[in-house]
Amino acid sequence: ARCASHWQQAGNPVREQAIALELRGNGHALLNEHAAASSALAQALALYRTRAAESIRVAIALNALANSQQASGDLASAKTGYNEALRMSQKINYREGIAYITANLADFALRQNDWPTAQTLAEQALQLASALGRQQLIASNHHCLAKAMLAQQQAASALPHAQQAVAIFTRLASPELAQAILPHLADE
């Protein structure tokens, strides 16, 4: 109710409504409420598209929606969303988006046990993230590369990537550190 009142006073509140919906969707995603997250994110995306068919905000919303769709098991929609977000990011030269969406596609391939595709995309994403200096993304790409290589029986090639991932995650005090090392400790 407070938001509706604010939006009426704002005059053209499309951007504010879209941001509020996107934040609501992200909140639902954090609570693993994927249907509610996807609904709010799809509404935000539709509003962003009324302002511009292709923009950074649209690419971000497409990626967020694809994340939610993947988490809910709607893999076909997630892959379509990631690919559209990547295409748009490339078209508008949104370099950060190109880097993290390529990483999301690598992770998507990894989760589908498509090791060669995951490796290729993670290598591309690592190069892009390195150029941007995004440490968390660099570490995540090293981790993805290590997992893809290990699955292809390339342990010697995977080791330096695993070590880089752990070193960066440790330096950043990242919660992803546990995800990077605990599953491998359980195997021993």
Side-chain angles (χ1 to χ4, degrees):
R2 285 185 0 196
C3 288
S5 155
H6 169 74
W7 291 332
Q8 284 179 335
Q9 292 174 354
N12 185 7
V14 172
R15 179 177 176 271
E16 289 81 5
Q17 288 175 350
I19 290 169
L21 284 164
E22 186 176 5
L23 291 171
R24 182 179 301 142
N26 290 338
H28 285 299
L30 288 171
L31 295 171
N32 292 319
E33 298 169 350
H34 304 299
S38 291
S39 175
L41 291 166
Q43 290 174 54
L45 175 61
L47 287 174
Y48 285 132
R49 283 183 163 157
T50 66
R51 293 175 48 95
E54 295 182 332
S55 68
I56 290 174
R57 292 298 335 160
V58 171
I60 290 169
L62 277 166
N63 182 72
L65 179 57
N67 286 339
S68 182
Q69 291 166 330
Q70 180 177 353
S72 71
D74 185 358
L75 303 180
S77 295
K79 187 170 185 182
T80 299
Y82 286 136
N83 283 323
E84 185 179 354
L86 179 59
R87 181 203 54 76
M88 185 178 301
S89 295
Q90 290 167 332
K91 183 175 180 182
I92 63 175
N93 198 29
Y94 174 39
R95 293 177 54 224
E96 186 171 347
I98 296 167
Y100 72 76
I101 297 163
T102 302
N104 285 345
L105 280 165
D107 182 66
F108 183 88
L110 193 68
R111 292 171 190 257
Q112 301 305 305
N113 300 331
D114 184 354
W115 315 124
T117 300
Q119 181 177 345
T120 298
L121 288 168
E123 287 168 345
Q124 292 171 8
L126 177 59
Q127 186 175 31
L128 294 164
S130 295
L132 295 171
R134 292 276 316 272
Q135 295 299 300
Q136 185 81 16
L137 191 53
I138 291 167
S140 294
N141 286 313
H142 276 297
H143 183 219
C144 185
L145 262 172
K147 288 167 63 174
M149 290 174 167
L150 197 57
Q152 296 175 86
Q153 309 302 315
Q154 300 171 11
S157 297
L159 181 60
H161 291 289
Q163 290 169 328
Q164 275 295 101
V166 170
I168 296 169
F169 285 145
T170 300
R171 188 172 63 248
L172 297 175
S174 172
E176 288 185 52
L177 176 61
Q179 295 173 358
I181 62 171
L182 289 179
H184 303 293
L185 293 177
D187 293 340
E188 293 179 3

